[in-house]
């Protein structure tokens, strides 16, 4: 069920949209003050196999009317929202496929779609091998990525604000470790874009790039050394960069907007032991939703109005768990056998001495991923049963810069696996883990690691659990 209701006026009309069994709500977002979009995902039988199909509906907040959008398309995915207006209009841009076969309709076209009545027109026809489109803040398609899966090569197609045809401006060969320019946003009135990429020392940053020459014009922001940019936050009008989040422990969030920067500083000062994040704000940035949590608590969502300066509780992330402290969490580091420093997240059972505990090592999936000292319900559940839990960020993990990620190349089951093993041995040496009661648990690539762990080091583990592990 998806509901649209007032947070504070119980008398205001509530709109509810039922979701059929077997269908999941993938996302929700507003188009304007009156229309909302709901993205839906469901498995359907397609030529004898189960496929995930994506579609969406529009909801009129004032009347409750639900409109199916692009449900007449014949392709797998028809819910890739590329752009929504900032002026209160109700026409959006969406990329959608119209065929499951690799013909001219398989490649997603860009449609202008009226969410009020479902009327659609093609803005850009589908182009062979182009699955991703980029739109500027004014709603004009500016770029597309052409990727040839058999050749492992990519091309960036681009056009300026006044051009009609797209032209190739960048090319990359994956085998040569090349990558395409990936525009964050296009700067109005120019052929410039903000682009995230690494410098020649492997440092992650955001640059203003001239798309006609592919030359960096200036450094806009550089992530702290040894960290990576996680997310960019755009201004409400979509035409500027409001903030950046990174994997840095010391500087995880930077606001470029002066008012938001000061507000964040006030939040952090008010609750220094917690993590405070603005997850949504109004167009004038005076009203917002704020999440406050800790590594040992899922936290809660609050409404904040700049005018009165009060945080009003909307709801707890988990009513069953609440907001009280659970098992303590901390970051640790240890040396792998070749001297590489590995960071891990250690969760210890609440109220237990960290000595000779039953122990679970839980490597993440990916392997391109990173466990951080945030609330993790898997780790907290396991710790609540008396186990110590270590989540090691083995070489090849993201979040520590390009060089650390590349240390994992060609090391599946080798040095990457040794990093996990060395984490267990570190915990045993520290006296935290009982060497006779250790288990390895993981999902996806972590599941592969669990299976390989008991094959490579069978005497180290009492058990192994592989969840959707990669295997042949």
């Amino acid at each position: 069920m998806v509901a649209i209701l007032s947070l504070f006026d119980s008398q205001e009309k509530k709109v509810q949209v039922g979701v059929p069994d077997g269908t999941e709500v993938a996302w929700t977002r507003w188009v304007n003050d009156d229309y909302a979009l709901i993205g839906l995902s469901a498995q359907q039988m397609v030529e004898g196999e189960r496929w995930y199909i994506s579609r969406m509906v529009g909801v009129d907040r004032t009347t409750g009317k639900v409109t199916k959008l692009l449900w007449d398309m014949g392709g797998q995915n028809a819910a890739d929202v590329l752009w929504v207006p900032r002026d209160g209009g109700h026409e959006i841009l969406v990329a959608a496929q119209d065929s499951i076969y690799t013909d001219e309709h398989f490649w997603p076209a860009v449609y202008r779609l009226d969410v009020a009545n479902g009327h659609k027109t093609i803005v850009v026809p589908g182009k062979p091998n182009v699955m991703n489109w980029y739109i500027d803040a004014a709603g004009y398609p500016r770029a597309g990525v052409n990727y040839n899966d058999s050749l492992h090569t990519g091309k960036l197609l681009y056009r300026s604000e006044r051009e009609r045809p797209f032209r190739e401006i960048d090319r990359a060969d994956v085998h040569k470790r090349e990558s395409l320019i990936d525009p964050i946003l296009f700067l109005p009135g120019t052929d410039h874009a903000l682009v995230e990429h690494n410098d020649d020392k492997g440092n992650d940053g955001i640059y203003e790039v001239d798309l006609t020459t592919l030359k960096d014009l200036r450094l806009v922001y550089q992530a702290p050394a040894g960290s990576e940019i996680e997310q960019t936050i755009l201004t409400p009008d979509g035409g500027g960069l409001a903030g950046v989040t990174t994997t840095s422990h010391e500087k995880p969030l930077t606001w470029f907007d002066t008012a938001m920067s000061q507000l964040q500083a006030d939040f952090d000062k008010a609750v220094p032991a917690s993590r405070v994040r603005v997850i949504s704000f109004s167009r004038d940035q005076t009203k917002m939703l704020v999440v406050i949590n800790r590594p040992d608590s899922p936290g809660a969502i609050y409404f904040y109005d700049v005018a009165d300066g009060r945080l009003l509780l909307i709801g707890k992330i988990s009513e069953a768990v609440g907001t009280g402290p659970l098992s303590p969490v901390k970051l640790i580091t240890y040396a792998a056998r070749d001297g590489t420093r590995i960071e891990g997240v250690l969760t210890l059972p609440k109220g237990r001495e960290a000595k000779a505990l039953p122990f679970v090592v839980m490597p993440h999936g990916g392997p391109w991923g990173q466990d951080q000292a945030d609330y993790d319900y898997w780790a907290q559940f396991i710790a609540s049963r008396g186990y110590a839990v270590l989540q090691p960020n083995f070489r090849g993990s993201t979040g520590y810069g390009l060089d650390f990620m590349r240390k994992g190349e060609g090391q599946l089951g080798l040095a990457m696996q040794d990093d996990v093993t060395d984490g267990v041995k570190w915990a045993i040496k520290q006296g935290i883990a009982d060497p006779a009661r250790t288990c390895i648990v993981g999902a996806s690539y972590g599941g592969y690691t669990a299976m390989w762990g008991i094959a490579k080091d069978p005497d180290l583990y009492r058990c192994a659990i592989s969840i959707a592990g990669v295997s042949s």
Side-chain angles (χ1 to χ4, degrees), residues 85-395:
R86 312 286 177 164
D87 60 0
H90 45 75
E91 289 188 339
I92 65 175
L93 295 184
V94 182
Q97 297 173 285
D98 199 22
S99 174
I100 62 171
Y101 305 105
T102 50
D103 56 23
E104 60 181 316
H105 301 294
F106 174 81
W107 310 105
V110 178
Y111 292 86
R112 184 173 298 278
L113 178 66
D114 190 325
V115 300
N117 55 31
H119 178 72
K120 67 179 185 292
T121 56
I122 292 181
V123 177
V124 179
K127 295 182 179 296
N129 295 319
V130 175
M131 295 295 288
N132 298 311
W133 293 101
Y134 295 81
I135 314 296
D136 66 18
Y140 189 64
R142 297 289 295 276
V145 174
N146 175 310
Y147 183 74
N148 189 311
D149 196 41
S150 60
L151 299 177
H152 300 288
T153 57
K155 302 174 185 177
L156 182 65
L157 309 180
Y158 170 76
R159 65 183 183 185
S160 69
E161 290 176 319
R162 292 168 294 279
E163 286 181 313
R164 294 295 299 172
F166 289 87
R167 52 191 170 86
E168 179 186 327
I169 64 167
D170 194 18
R171 181 185 291 254
D173 186 334
V174 175
H175 292 301
K176 297 179 181 179
R177 284 184 168 177
E178 297 172 345
S179 59
L180 293 173
I181 280 180
D182 187 15
I184 297 169
L185 64 86
F186 301 93
L187 301 181
T190 71
D191 280 311
H192 301 172
L194 297 188
V195 175
E196 178 192 348
H197 67 75
N198 291 280
D199 62 16
D200 55 4
K201 296 181 180 179
N203 299 310
D204 198 5
I206 296 175
Y207 297 80
E208 181 178 343
V209 174
D210 185 336
L211 297 178
T212 63
T213 63
L214 302 186
K215 299 295 184 182
D216 293 344
L217 301 178
R218 65 185 178 100
L219 175 65
V220 176
Y221 172 82
Q222 187 168 70
S227 71
E228 298 173 11
I229 294 168
E230 277 190 315
Q231 181 187 13
T232 53
I233 307 167
L234 300 184
T235 55
D237 64 3
L241 191 62
V244 174
T245 65
T246 74
T247 58
S248 167
H249 307 312
E250 292 75 24
K251 191 68 173 175
L253 173 62
T254 297
W255 289 104
F256 304 117
D257 179 273
T258 303
M260 290 299 296
S261 180
Q262 182 58 55
L263 182 62
Q264 184 69 49
D266 293 341
F267 283 149
D268 293 340
K269 184 178 180 181
V271 282
S274 298
R275 179 185 181 194
V276 184
R277 291 291 179 270
V278 176
I279 59 171
S280 179
F281 45 74
S282 59
R283 282 188 292 272
D284 61 3
Q285 296 184 186
T286 62
K287 298 176 177 63
M288 54 199 71
L289 294 179
V290 179
V291 170
I292 301 179
N293 64 4
R294 302 186 309 274
D296 63 352
S297 170
I301 301 176
Y302 297 83
F303 176 83
Y304 181 79
D305 190 335
V306 173
D308 64 23
R310 292 186 300 156
L311 284 168
L312 300 177
L313 177 65
I314 300 303
K316 298 173 183 176
I317 301 296
S318 172
E319 290 290 343
V321 173
T323 58
L326 300 175
S327 295
V329 180
K330 65 178 180 179
L331 289 170
I332 58 93
T333 59
Y334 60 89
R337 62 192 65 183
D338 66 352
T340 301
R341 300 302 298 179
I342 304 297
E343 185 177 71
V345 182
L346 180 65
T347 304
L348 297 170
K350 184 178 180 180
R352 296 281 300 276
E353 184 183 1
K355 185 176 181 180
L357 294 169
F359 186 80
V360 173
V361 62
M362 193 161 64
H364 60 71
W368 302 281
Q370 182 192 31
D371 282 315
Q372 299 177 325
D374 295 327
Y375 179 76
D376 186 311
Y377 70 92
W378 277 26
Q380 285 292 337
F381 175 78
I382 295 170
S384 74
R385 270 40 186 176
Y387 297 85
V389 182
L390 176 65
Q391 296 167 276
N393 288 313
F394 43 82
R395 72 191 69 200

Side-chain angles (χ1 to χ4, degrees), residues 17-94:
V17 180
V19 179
D21 288 344
T23 300
E24 296 181 356
V25 175
W27 50 263
T28 60
R29 67 180 298 177
W30 289 99
V31 175
N32 53 33
D33 289 347
D34 293 325
Y35 284 95
L37 294 173
I38 302 173
L40 301 172
S41 177
Q43 283 192 344
Q44 291 188 7
M45 294 299 296
V46 178
E47 296 195 342
E49 296 182 347
R50 288 190 175 275
W51 288 27
Y52 277 102
I53 308 298
S54 67
R55 293 294 185 269
M56 60 184 178
V57 297
V59 183
D60 186 333
R61 179 186 66 85
T62 61
T63 66
K65 179 185 176 184
V66 177
T67 303
K68 292 182 177 180
L69 303 173
L70 299 180
W71 284 45
D72 59 338
M73 303 297 288
Q76 180 179 6
N77 298 312
D80 184 8
V81 178
L82 304 174
W83 176 85
V84 297
R86 312 286 177 164
D87 60 0
H90 45 75
E91 289 188 339
I92 65 175
L93 295 184
V94 182

